Amino acid sequence: MEALDVVEGLPERPTVLVVEDNPVERQLIGKILRNFDFEVIAVDCGEVVLDTVVNYQPDLILLDALLPDIDGFEVCLHLRAHPKGVYIPIIMLTGLDDVSSINRAYEVGATDFFTKPINHSLLVHRIRYLLRARVIMDQLRLSKQSLASAQQAARLGHWELDVEKNRFHLSEEVLHLYRVQEDEQDTSDINVLYTKCHPDDVMYFERLLSASIRELKEARIEHRILLDDNSTRYIELHTTVLSDQGDGSNHILGISIDVTERKESEREILRLAYCDRLTGLPNRSLMELYLDQSIPRSHANGSSVAILSIDLDLFNRINNSMGHSAGDAVLQQLTERLGKLVNSTGVSQYLDRLSVSQEPSLDDLGKQMLGRLAADTFVIILSEVDRNGAEAMRFANLVKRTFESPFIYRGQELFVSASVGLAYSESGSSLAETLLQHADLALHEAKTQGRNRVKEYSGELVSKVSTHLSIQSDLRKAIANGEFQLVYQPKVSTKDGSVKGFEALVRWIHPVKGVIPPDQFISVAEETGQIVELGQWVLNTACKQNKQWRDQKLIDVVMAVNVSARQFKEGNLIEVVESALGQSGLPGNKLELEMTEGVLMSDPDSEQVIAELRDRGVSIALDDFGTGYSSLSYITRFPIDTIKIDRCFVQDISITSEKAAVVSAVSNLSHSLSLNVVAEGVETETELDVIKQLHCDEVQGYYFCRPMAAADISEWLINRNSSPKVANKMH
Ligand code: C2E
Ligand code: CA
Ligand code: CA
């Protein structure tokens, strides 16, 4: 007895279902098969076949074509329609030379046929052959299925191109990936890949893919596909060349992978790297990338790139007094307003292209760009402008105008102004960083000059900044080295010429540079925070000096000391004042603190602090009134004692001038609120005359006395008391 070949996956004793109505034949076949180590189930009619198959799951069926009840072909048809019968090998037994039955057998899905009378040993071989083939077919089918499901899970599909024969075959997964309906496209042509490609990528995709085919080289191409619902997916395509040594044919195997999820996270990373979180605008990195391309391009056609650096004035005031959400609201509204001025296509497309590793093009971004550089600094880039034309300056003024209407936060109107720095790229340099730096310098200058204005960059600003930097480093040592000195300037009554008080003004006696005026270092000390320590020293020294003059019975008046914003906010001003008064022994009512509106506005608690200072007898003067944000409402809102009208109103004043009208209005309102009015910077007799007519109470200025060191003031006071000529200046 010959044993059955061992085939992996085949049972040791395969079961054969014999369907034969002739009992002799049935028994004979059964006997022979059993001899050859088959398990045999035999039935004599068609009716029971399906049930038997379902219950016993035979490995093969021998099916007689002629059965008494249902004919064998019909049985075969039913079997093939049943899931348990689809793949089972069926051998139909037909009459010899019955060609039409043989044809019919194939038609109804039989695997093979065998003619009667049966040659039994041949039948056994046929059965064994078909069983082996079935195992292999099953394995092939399974591996195909698992390949397909693996590809589907990996969102991956493959296609193959026979280069010589131009025969193209793609897998179902590719169709699925590209969402191609089988009837919709000619899927035997490589063009099917191009038709679904995103229109912006198709040229690039076609170029790389056809090069890979033409030159028989591997390629990796990323591209997008545009689906019918207008959504995009990202595909990564790898091509491999398969060369058959035997027949010399070349095939290109393409593997397409859907990498949309990965791309989306990459795009998110790009967005985080290149865009500002709050406003979604380009950040510094993206602006530099843009400038790196736009500067050379502008220069090449004889034009320039202009940069506007826009900074909100006193933005911290909003953040501090109303909270960060108010600040964010202003920034978002501003983004919207500036966005309307700037003609830019936005960054979306640019990032898209960056994320499919194509060279992004300037054209994606347009000729203008709006970006956010820092918390409250925005930048507008204008490419290809004429540096001799007025376009950029006009633009800067448009920007300023967007601040004319108030920003709205929770129904409240917020007025914010902005300073703007303007700079042009210079033909010698195409560095983005330099250009941004120049715009920043111009911006800084606009701020120093009193904010709310546009300034254009010029070379002189650089030397200004280097002085600024050296001042900053020298300042550190100056306090410790005792390089500061106070000078005092008297305030004189317009009624009787008596000295009503002094203002203490600081001087820096620099060991190398000599006397440095406060205009050059106060703002630096303010920026670095050194003003807190310096201000404390000024306060202590001025109080001691005043106490000394009082003790010497030289003069007993109020000493005024200037206070800066930083001292107010960070320097626990009340303690510092108490300590200065305590250490010197000066009574609180002999000290006045001068502060500008900017100082008062910089701190939300300023009203409270002022009230506490006044509780200690210290009086408060509103300094430099008429500059900056001056509004008469400040006079009524804050509990102050004195208004100091800025020098710019006094300079060259005539009684019929507009300046006189303002000074008169301020002094009348102040008097109705019982405030003391001081006019600063009186230099001439004419100015003094007009000021007197406008009812200012006190004057201060070079006309009477320049700020002088303490010793000189003592001398000046003594001379003045003994010389009627000087005292008579007022009469
Ligand atoms: P300010 O508070 O407005 O001080 C008055 C300035 O006007 C002083 O300039 C004074 O010398 C000047 N001045 C007085 N009379 C006349 C005049 O008739 N004509 C002209 N052209 N100028 C006159 P100074 O001393 O250069 O101080 C400038 C600014 O520096 C001050 O302006 C003040 O804001 C600040 N400052 C001075 N000392 C201190 C200080 O100790 N602490 C703080 N925080 N700031 C100070
Ligand atoms: Ca002052
Ligand atoms: Ca002043």
Side-chain angles (χ1 to χ4, degrees):
M1 193 181 66
E2 202 181 321
L4 199 69
D5 297 356
V6 181
V7 174
E8 208 184 327
L10 198 66
E12 227 170 274
R13 288 169 64 87
T15 308
V16 177
L17 171 62
V18 180
V19 188
E20 171 63 75
D21 58 330
N22 181 331
V24 180
E25 191 74 54
R26 194 170 64 232
Q27 278 183 14
L28 189 60
I29 295 175
K31 191 158 182 268
I32 291 167
L33 291 183
R34 281 189 193 97
N35 275 345
F36 279 91
D37 237 4
F38 289 99
E39 202 73 65
V40 178
I41 304 164
V43 296
D44 59 359
C45 62
E47 203 181 2
V48 295
V49 172
L50 195 57
D51 281 348
T52 318
V53 167
V54 171
N55 292 334
Y56 298 94
Q57 302 194 19
D59 297 296
L60 187 140
I61 302 172
L62 274 182
L63 177 61
D64 190 9
L66 298 171
L67 290 169
D69 52 350
I70 321 166
D71 108 337
F73 303 106
E74 196 105 332
V75 174
C76 189
L77 261 181
H78 281 145
L79 279 170
R80 287 305 187 220
H82 192 277
K84 292 277 186 218
V86 185
Y87 298 117
I88 199 165
I90 300 175
I91 301 176
M92 292 209 72
L93 303 174
T94 60
L96 185 63
D97 294 341
D98 184 356
V99 179
S100 70
S101 284
I102 295 169
N103 285 340
R104 186 82 214 284
Y106 284 124
E107 271 167 27
V108 297
T111 317
D112 208 347
F113 69 94
F114 209 80
T115 52
K116 290 182 174 180
I118 292 171
N119 175 334
H120 292 108
S121 83
L122 215 61
L123 176 66
V124 170
H125 283 294
R126 183 70 61 83
I127 289 175
R128 287 159 79 188
Y129 168 75
L130 284 181
L131 282 172
R132 272 201 300 270
R134 162 159 194 204
V135 170
I136 291 163
M137 287 295 283
D138 279 356
Q139 282 168 350
L140 184 65
R141 203 177 57 244
L142 256 170
S143 86
K144 262 188 148 174
Q145 263 170 10
S146 52
L147 178 67
S149 63
Q151 289 195 352
Q152 237 168 37
R155 294 183 199 276
L156 174 157
H158 70 275
W159 51 260
E160 209 177 312
L161 175 74
D162 181 331
V163 179
E164 275 72 35
K165 298 192 179 117
N166 194 25
R167 224 180 264 154
F168 183 69
H169 166 79
L170 41 71
S171 71
E172 271 192 43
E173 286 67 44
V174 170
L175 290 177
H176 181 74
L177 219 58
Y178 286 66
R179 308 289 198 282
V180 179
Q181 309 296 323
E182 252 176 286
D183 52 346
E184 169 197 7
Q185 302 274 345
D186 177 7
T187 56
S188 63
D189 192 318
I190 195 160
N191 280 326
V192 68
L193 298 180
Y194 300 136
T195 53
K196 287 284 165 170
C197 186
H198 194 290
D200 287 350
D201 297 350
V202 74
M203 264 172 55
Y204 146 90
F205 177 56
E206 214 173 331
R207 179 164 48 83
L208 294 191
L209 184 56
S210 53
S212 158
I213 296 168
R214 201 175 46 244
E215 295 159 26
L216 292 175
K217 61 169 195 201
E218 302 192 343
R220 177 180 165 277
I221 312 165
E222 282 184 359
H223 68 100
R224 287 165 296 171
I225 49 177
L226 189 62
L227 304 185
D228 294 338
D229 62 358
N230 262 335
S231 63
T232 39
R233 310 274 316 163
Y234 289 84
I235 301 289
E236 191 177 294
L237 170 66
H238 296 258
T239 63
T240 315
V241 182
L242 306 174
S243 299
D244 189 326
Q245 303 296 336
D247 63 1
S249 69
N250 289 306
H251 292 244
I252 300 278
L253 173 69
I255 308 237
S256 296
I257 310 167
D258 184 328
V259 291
T260 308
E261 275 74 30
R262 194 190 82 207
K263 278 289 149 192
E264 268 163 9
S265 44
E266 274 176 21
R267 200 171 176 283
E268 185 58 19
I269 292 167
L270 277 176
R271 217 177 51 75
L272 287 173
Y274 284 122
C275 294
D276 163 56
R277 195 96 69 86
L278 176 72
T279 60
L281 292 176
N283 65 8
R284 182 184 205 105
S285 308
L286 185 51
M287 286 190 277
E288 283 183 353
L289 214 63
Y290 176 73
L291 285 171
D292 284 342
Q293 291 186 295
S294 71
I295 296 175
R297 184 190 279 203
S298 295
H299 289 179
N301 67 23
S303 58
S304 290
V305 172
I307 285 203
L308 304 177
S309 203
I310 304 155
D311 196 282
L312 302 186
D313 296 330
L314 304 175
F315 181 65
N316 278 342
R317 200 181 74 208
I318 294 176
N319 272 337
N320 292 342
S321 59
M322 306 187 65
H324 282 266
S325 55
D328 286 354
V330 170
L331 294 176
Q332 274 156 347
Q333 286 167 41
L334 179 61
T335 304
E336 216 170 283
R337 290 185 192 183
L338 293 178
K340 284 188 189 140
L341 294 181
V342 176
N343 183 7
S344 157
T345 41
V347 291
S348 217
Q349 197 166 338
Y350 191 81
L351 294 185
D352 274 349
R353 223 181 278 244
L354 262 180
S355 70
V356 283
S357 39
Q358 292 185 38
E359 180 107 323
S361 139
L362 258 191
D363 302 326
D364 291 335
L365 293 168
K367 282 196 182 159
Q368 302 182 343
M369 177 183 265
L370 167 66
R372 183 171 177 225
L373 200 61
D376 56 343
T377 310
F378 289 79
V379 165
I380 292 176
I381 305 174
L382 308 169
S383 319
E384 298 179 39
V385 295
D386 176 5
R387 87 165 285 169
N388 300 316
E391 186 190 340
M393 194 43 105
R394 244 194 332 266
F395 209 100
N397 286 316
L398 277 182
V399 167
K400 264 200 71 201
R401 214 171 297 154
T402 59
F403 287 86
E404 281 171 5
S405 51
F407 295 85
I408 309 289
Y409 178 66
R410 295 201 175 142
Q412 198 176 332
E413 293 192 337
L414 304 171
F415 284 90
V416 182
S417 66
S419 305
V420 182
L422 163 63
Y424 290 96
S425 61
E426 279 155 19
S427 48
S429 152
S430 54
L431 275 182
E433 204 187 328
T434 314
L435 184 53
L436 283 166
Q437 229 167 38
H438 286 181
D440 192 47
L441 275 176
L443 171 65
H444 193 265
E445 185 62 11
K447 291 214 161 241
T448 339
Q449 289 195 7
R451 307 190 179 98
N452 192 22
R453 62 198 67 209
V454 181
K455 274 283 145 203
E456 190 179 326
Y457 169 81
S458 75
E460 292 151 31
L461 294 181
V462 179
S463 63
K464 255 191 160 173
V465 167
S466 66
T467 329
H468 185 97
L469 287 176
S470 76
I471 282 180
Q472 198 171 319
S473 75
D474 289 354
L475 256 178
R476 287 196 199 106
K477 297 167 275 176
I479 299 180
N481 292 351
E483 292 170 16
F484 291 106
Q485 209 185 61
L486 287 189
V487 290
Y488 303 90
Q489 188 178 34
K491 291 186 246 179
V492 177
S493 161
T494 50
K495 294 192 184 68
D496 56 10
S498 61
V499 173
K500 290 287 189 189
F502 291 95
E503 177 176 4
L505 295 157
V506 70
R507 295 290 176 265
W508 181 5
I509 319 296
H510 191 282
V512 181
K513 296 178 186 137
V515 179
I516 304 179
D519 290 341
Q520 283 184 27
F521 68 87
I522 290 288
S523 59
V524 183
E526 174 90 37
E527 265 171 41
T528 59
Q530 288 158 315
I531 192 76
V532 176
E533 194 186 347
L534 175 60
Q536 197 167 348
W537 176 86
V538 171
L539 204 58
N540 287 334
T541 313
C543 286
K544 271 188 212 145
Q545 185 57 63
N546 203 21
K547 175 70 166 43
Q548 195 185 338
W549 284 335
R550 212 169 115 94
D551 289 350
Q552 291 170 348
K553 306 261 186 292
L554 195 59
I555 192 159
D556 186 10
V557 289
V558 174
M559 174 66 78
V561 173
N562 293 286
V563 170
S564 80
R566 207 86 183 238
Q567 276 174 281
F568 206 95
K569 275 193 298 192
E570 298 168 19
N572 46 351
L573 190 60
I574 295 168
E575 279 169 44
V576 171
V577 166
E578 274 182 343
S579 135
L581 293 174
Q583 277 180 32
S584 63
L586 186 74
N589 65 358
K590 295 294 169 190
L591 175 66
E592 183 164 72
L593 298 182
E594 295 193 1
M595 38 193 103
T596 60
E597 286 154 287
V599 174
L600 292 179
M601 289 193 297
S602 68
D603 189 69
D605 300 326
S606 54
E607 260 170 273
Q608 176 64 28
V609 176
I610 284 175
E612 287 190 34
L613 287 167
R614 290 178 90 233
D615 285 346
R616 288 160 176 76
V618 177
S619 53
I620 307 294
L622 189 59
D623 205 356
D624 299 347
F625 190 81
T627 61
Y629 292 85
S630 290
S631 86
L632 288 171
S633 71
Y634 269 86
I635 310 183
T636 50
R637 190 176 139 200
F638 284 95
I640 52 175
D641 305 277
T642 301
I643 293 274
K644 294 188 79 177
I645 296 176
D646 193 74
R647 195 177 83 225
C648 64
F649 286 94
V650 175
Q651 217 171 12
D652 302 325
I653 194 171
S654 74
I655 194 71
T656 53
S657 63
E658 208 174 307
K659 285 181 181 176
V662 175
V663 173
S664 163
V666 172
S667 96
N668 285 339
L669 177 67
S670 303
H671 286 144
S672 72
L673 296 162
S674 308
L675 302 181
N676 193 32
V677 180
V678 180
E680 293 184 313
V682 174
E683 290 183 357
T684 66
E685 188 148 10
T686 330
E687 288 167 358
L688 176 65
D689 276 346
V690 178
I691 290 298
K692 271 164 77 179
Q693 288 179 54
L694 297 173
H695 310 295
C696 292
D697 305 294
E698 291 168 25
V699 282
Q700 186 182 347
Y702 295 168
Y703 179 67
F704 296 101
C705 185
R706 287 192 173 249
M708 291 189 294
D712 299 329
I713 288 287
S714 308
E715 201 177 314
W716 180 80
L717 282 171
I718 294 165
N719 283 341
R720 190 179 151 90
N721 289 339
S722 60
S723 150
K725 206 177 101 212
V726 180
N728 279 345
K729 261 192 173 174
M730 293 310 297
H731 300 292

